[in-house]
Amino acid sequence: MGEIPKALREKVHKGLKLLVITGAGISAESGVPTFRGEDGLWKRYRAEDLATPWAFERDPKLVWEWYNWRREIIAKAEPNAGHRAIAEMEALFPNFFLITQNVDGLHRRAGNHKLMEIHGNLWLVRCTREGAVWENHEVPLKEIPPRCGRCGALLRPHVVWFGESLDPENLRLAYQLLKGCEVLLVVGTSGVVQPVASFPWEAKRHGAYVVEVNIEPTPITRISDLFLKGKASEILPVFLNELKDCLLSRSN
Ligand code: BJW
């Protein structure tokens, strides 16, 4: 990675409003499978069979078996150097926020607090009758599909499936952040799943400087001001150090 471009350096000097968006790529090196690409989940499974409300209606057992399998993988995973660099960014910049599409909870475990899990969290379950949400860390699940201890209805993972709306309150906050951020850092997302895929365009429209980190170009690359090609766990710690150098040179 070369030196940080002057335009970005100036923004850091002025006190950066930093918004970070992450996708499955950041957790890839923690051993969590991504969705698309060579080894992606959608190569082996059809999204329509597993990640839609219709799939759950048709076969809740199959859907829960898939989630149980993913929970087993994620329970063993640890945050990597990419997650840790983003947690350090939160500590470094008072105007920081993270929107993650990931449901694995690894950002929280790395130490991020100012974050929105916009597609939900795999460690939360929701009662399909009453809508109550609570934590469930049972691995493996004792009962598949699990049922609500109170009313006996089916539980579902508290995640957002295809064809479902995202939480309107989360969306309202996301658009407010996209409007106000000066730098948008987009990490490890293929940029194809709406509405998050359109977020970089929204930020750009409001004048944000867009930095993208990915192992390969995506639709977002063409509007990125800075494309850092490589693994998130390798690029982000270096990028963080560059940001720190900028801050130091400001105070000297
Ligand atoms: C690295 C790396 C390393 C690898 N370092 N990088 C038009 C037509 C048809 C449908 C639609 C349409 N417009 C909108 C829709 C609906 C749909 C949609 O967008 N579909 C598109 C696929 C076309 N969207 C929705 O349904 C959303 N709801 C909605 O829009 O409501 C209104 C509405 C409904 C219906 C119609 C129209 C409007 C909800 C979307 C919910 C997505 N849910 C999932 C599952 C969550 C739960 C779970 O995990 O089980 O969310 S799907 C999956 O994709 C998951 C992810 O969060 C999401 C995004 O994936 P992500 O993170 O980008 O991962 P990958 O694998 O795609 O990419 C990884 C990237 O990392 C790659 O670029 C790699 O190169 C890179 N990488 N290693 C750095 N080491």
Side-chain angles (χ1 to χ4, degrees):
M1 200 188 115
E3 243 203 15
I4 283 191
K6 190 160 167 262
L8 178 54
R9 191 168 274 274
E10 279 168 4
K11 287 183 193 296
V12 180
H13 283 174
K14 278 196 263 149
L16 188 63
K17 282 188 192 153
L18 175 63
L19 177 61
V20 182
I21 296 177
T22 61
I26 190 154
S27 296
E29 288 154 87
S30 294
V32 181
T34 62
F35 294 91
R36 295 159 193 88
E38 271 310 295
D39 302 320
L41 291 169
W42 299 152
K43 273 265 152 42
R44 285 176 280 167
Y45 309 96
R46 278 159 31 100
E48 310 86 78
D49 292 340
L50 296 164
T52 65
W54 308 284
F56 186 70
E57 227 168 82
R58 199 170 47 235
D59 197 343
K61 186 163 180 283
L62 176 74
V63 171
W64 264 116
E65 273 162 358
W66 188 60
Y67 276 94
N68 185 52
W69 171 71
R70 286 174 62 203
R71 284 163 59 112
E72 286 181 335
I73 294 174
I74 291 165
K76 289 186 206 126
E78 292 296 328
N80 64 52
H83 294 106
R84 288 195 294 276
I86 293 176
E88 233 190 285
M89 286 177 201
E90 176 173 326
L92 205 59
F93 297 103
N95 276 307
F96 170 96
F97 205 86
L98 166 63
I99 299 176
T100 185
Q101 298 170 86
N102 300 346
V103 299
D104 56 30
L106 289 179
H107 282 299
R108 217 179 276 278
R109 283 179 52 199
N112 279 111
H113 302 285
K114 291 183 184 172
L115 87 162
M116 175 197 298
E117 290 168 322
I118 201 162
H119 288 163
N121 186 303
L122 192 121
W123 302 110
L124 295 175
V125 292
R126 187 161 89 228
C127 173
T128 52
R129 185 174 299 151
E130 293 167 341
V133 174
W134 63 91
E135 285 191 29
N136 173 316
H137 290 270
E138 200 177 275
V139 175
L141 287 160
K142 282 194 204 83
E143 183 192 14
I144 295 184
R147 291 191 170 268
C148 177
R150 239 187 343 234
C151 73
L154 278 178
L155 297 179
R156 58 162 284 177
H158 187 53
V159 299
V160 184
W161 283 324
F162 284 118
E164 292 186 317
S165 299
L166 281 68
D167 180 279
E169 196 44 42
N170 275 347
L171 279 178
R172 194 193 56 75
L173 175 60
Y175 284 110
Q176 193 182 315
L177 290 161
L178 290 161
K179 194 172 169 187
C181 72
E182 287 161 338
V183 173
L184 175 70
L185 172 62
V186 188
V187 184
T189 178
S190 55
V192 295
V193 176
Q194 298 295 349
V196 179
S198 66
F199 285 4
W201 272 262
E202 187 65 12
K204 187 85 182 174
R205 196 165 69 83
H206 290 288
Y209 186 97
V210 178
V211 182
E212 187 188 21
V213 177
N214 204 304
I215 51 169
E216 61 186 26
T218 72
I220 300 161
T221 314
R222 86 178 97 98
I223 61 151
S224 297
D225 297 283
L226 180 62
F227 176 62
L228 302 174
K229 190 171 191 289
K231 293 180 177 175
S233 69
E234 290 168 9
I235 298 279
L236 287 174
V238 180
F239 184 61
L240 171 69
N241 280 338
E242 294 271 345
L243 292 178
K244 282 183 186 165
D245 282 350
C246 279
L247 284 176
L248 274 177
S249 68
R250 179 185 66 175
S251 48
N252 289 335

